[in-house]
Amino acid sequence: MTAYGGPGGGGAGRIGVGFAACHHGEILQGVFLDENDRPCAGLVTLPMQGPGTRAEFTPGPGNSPGQLTVFPADRTKALRAAALAIEECAAPRGRAPCRGGELTLSGDVPLGLGMGSSSSDVIAAIRAVADAYGLRLPPATIARLAVRAERASDPLMLGGGPLLFAQREGRVLEVLGDALPPAVVVGCALGGGSPVDTLSLPAPRHDHEDVRAYERLRSLLRRAVADADTALLGHVSTESARRAQRLREQREFGLLDRIAGRVGAVGLQIAHSGNVAGLLFDPAAPDLGHRLRRCVRALRTCGIPVTRTFATGTTGTTGTISEEHLHGRAHVRRDRPARSDTSRRRAHLPALRDDEGRLGHGGGTAPARHRHRTTR
């Protein structure tokens, strides 16, 4: 285990739990002007239900020497977040932070694919510590602590609504509306589903032309949200991914762009710091099922693993897509009546697994994510 030597004193007195979802990369990411016309890095994520991190924080003895530990041992950002959260939660109650405790993380967010795995860990850890103190921290406080813990954080603490978030400052630059335009996303993994070391990526350099271009995309996204315009959403996302090619070239970008054009997608979406990607479709298209099936076949033919297909809703939530849309009526079993113990919820593809349950392709695998701890 990785340990953090914390300050002494009494602290929380119960086991706390917390959860945080992940996302499916970014719709828009670049440099924008804040309220003072200062250039500021910002992003708009694509929300996704399902995968996430669950954290459990078990406080150590109140006054005995100890350390904070984390499992798995390499989750050092979450460990820093827990230490910061202890200090934050203890101060209002006039307590010294607890000296010991164990943070345990579990979940199914793939590492290094641009889905916010570290932010999910960090936010879940902060919420678990707060729960151990019997507190619920406001999102702005969680954002501040998350940025201190990992230098830049995704806005997973703020729900699924569309907002432009300054990831290095932990603050909202603009609330774009109540929900992204409705869209169906066929998710896939580029680069064989291999993880990306975000710390190894070059620091982005932006000039005045970049600011103007990203401000224009910001304006278009604002209009897309206001008008529930899925086609305009696809345009913004594609242009953002295209501009990101200058910083981190994805060799499959051109291929994905051509597939999008052939199968009737409104655009594509690529995580700016990972290999997760998606093709966006208008759910109102009369031949949606045919388009989705053509998309899946095209991706498979090109050796790009399909991971999960989901929909953004008009309320900022996401849902899974029916088997009929993906496979057609002839391939949907309807001849077996549901028993009383048969779930009627639609099954969905696991995070970053292909549609046959494999991770990656060509013999490669995506990295295993947190596993539930079986012994303590």
Side-chain angles (χ1 to χ4, degrees), residues 58-85:
T58 305
N63 293 306
S64 63
Q67 292 180 313
L68 294 179
T69 59
V70 65
F71 180 89
D74 61 348
R75 305 296 189 260
T76 55
K77 293 178 181 179
L79 187 64
R80 287 197 296 270
L84 293 169

Side-chain angles (χ1 to χ4, degrees), residues 31 33 39 205-215 243:
V31 60
L33 297 177
R205 295 179 180 274
H206 299 295
D207 55 23
H208 294 300
E209 189 278 330
D210 289 320
V211 175
R212 287 193 298 270
Y214 283 118
E215 279 294 317
R243 294 190 68 85

